[in-house]
């Protein structure tokens, strides 16, 4: 006998359904839980693929103004060279953990930059600096074809590598039209101060070398965008993801979520920014074959969303911490395999506006799902 049982022409359908219900185990009894939660401060990368946040740990710390040390409640996960920061900030700008600067006995951390003010509260240690959601357009010298999925974008020397690994850049104005494209997929796989190597999910034949144009990385929809339905690529992923398997027509998915975010911006003109947080549902499909499966997630529907409007933003600034809470929402998709994501969207909604969200820091965040069978 194998599970699930099928009708054999003798037993009652109701009996078979009842036995399958029991044999299906915890998920059949409505205990199919999934989700993620965290409180460590981190920043969104804006990448279409993981990692969607900068790896980090947050611990409570105390330190005197002007001192090069802080005392933490735990050194677990802290490494030499980690970038250090906190809200305010009261940690010195650009501070890192000094070489040999971790004392596990006294839980004292020595920094490379003195504290600006008294440190008291959560401090974050991360592998990389705060991720940027915007790279201003850079003039391209040439673009060369590497293989059907990979190109090399060359530009004049920059002070530091402008793109992070995984960024999905946009090329415009190049002499070879096929290069003018939004590079979804793996994105930037290598970047120096003079070139970026980019891999996309699109295959092209060798069109030769292109000249001119610009390359940029941005995550803010510009006007006119008010009232439009954003493409799936415009949603910015967080690290809150939960998978769910729906097997029956009456299955329901119960979902709850929370996200606290702090947003930095740069506005060249007075701008009105709509910040949207959503629970989006993606369907998992096999684009390969049974012998060589290849699963991809396709945007299916927005289950719930909440928005907040900030008006008259000018210059460079930071919006106060914005918290969004979704109490239990009920979703009833057709049978299939799904992925639920907690995502954000930034849109300039006044036609005279001109601004970019430059970074987003998040801390308290959670997404949980439960499939309940009837």
């Amino acid at each position: 006998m194998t599970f699930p049982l099928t009708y054999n022409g003798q037993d009652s359908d109701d009996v078979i359904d009842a036995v399958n219900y029991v044999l299906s185990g915890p998920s059949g009894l409505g205990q199919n839980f999934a989700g993620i939660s965290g409180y460590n401060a981190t920043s969104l990368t804006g990448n279409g693929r993981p990692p969607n946040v900068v790896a980090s740990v947050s611990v409570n710390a105390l330190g005197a103004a002007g001192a090069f040390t802080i005392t933490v409640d735990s050194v677990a996960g802290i490494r030499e060279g980690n970038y250090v920061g906190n809200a305010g900030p009261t940690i010195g700008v650009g501070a890192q953990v000094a070489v040999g600067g971790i004392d596990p006995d006294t839980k004292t951390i020595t920094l490379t930059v003195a504290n600006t003010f008294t440190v008291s509260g959560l401090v974050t240690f991360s592998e990389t600096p705060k991720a940027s959601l915007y790279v201003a357009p850079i003039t391209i010298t040439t673009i060369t074809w590497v293989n059907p999925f990979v190109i090399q974008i060359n530009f004049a020397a920059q002070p530091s590598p402008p793109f992070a690994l995984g960024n999905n850049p946009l090329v415009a104005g190049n002499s070879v039209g096929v290069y003018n494209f939004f590079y979804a997929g793996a994105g930037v796989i290598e970047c120096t101060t003079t070139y970026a190597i980019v891999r996309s999910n699109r295959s092209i034949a060798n069109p030769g070398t292109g000249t001119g144009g610009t390359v940029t990385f941005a995550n803010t929809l510009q006007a006119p965008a008010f009232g439009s339905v954003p493409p799936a690529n415009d949603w910015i992923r967080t690290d809150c993801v939960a998978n769910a398997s729906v097997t029956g027509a009456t299955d329901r998915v119960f979902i709850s979520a929370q996200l606290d975010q702090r947003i930095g911006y740069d506005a060249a003109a007075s701008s009105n920014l709509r910040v949207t947080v959503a629970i989006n549902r993606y369907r998992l499909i096999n684009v390969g074959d049974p012998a060589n499966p290849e699963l991809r997630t396709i945007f299916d529907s927005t289950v719930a969303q909440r928005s907040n409007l900030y008006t008259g933003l000018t210059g460079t600034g930071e919006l106060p911490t914005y918290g969004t809470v979704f109490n239990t929402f009920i979703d009833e998709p057709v049978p299939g395999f799904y992925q639920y994501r907690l995502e954000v969207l930034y849109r300039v909604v006044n036609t005279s506006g001109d601004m970019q969200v430059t970074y987003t820091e998040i801390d308290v965040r959670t997404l949980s799902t439960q499939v309940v069978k009837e």
Side-chain angles (χ1 to χ4, degrees), residues 65 96 118 132 158 160 172 192 196 206 224 248 250 291 299 307 357 367 369:
Q96 294 179 255
T118 300
S132 176
Q158 305 294 305
S160 60
T192 71
N206 187 353
T250 59
F299 181 83
S307 297
V357 170
L367 173 68
T369 62

Side-chain angles (χ1 to χ4, degrees), residues 121-141:
L122 281 178
V123 171
T124 298
F125 299 81
S126 59
E127 296 293 331
T128 61
K130 180 166 53 184
S132 176
L133 292 179
Y134 177 63
V135 176
I138 298 171
T139 300
I140 296 170
T141 53

Side-chain angles (χ1 to χ4, degrees), residues 188-213:
V188 175
I189 58 176
E190 181 182 342
C191 186
T192 71
T193 57
T194 58
Y195 69 85
I197 296 178
V198 181
R199 181 179 180 85
S200 77
N201 52 16
R202 176 190 67 158
S203 174
I204 60 172
N206 187 353
T209 298
T211 59

Side-chain angles (χ1 to χ4, degrees), residues 219-234:
N219 286 274
T220 308
L221 286 176
Q222 301 299 310
F226 183 74
S228 63
V229 178
N233 280 339
D234 290 323

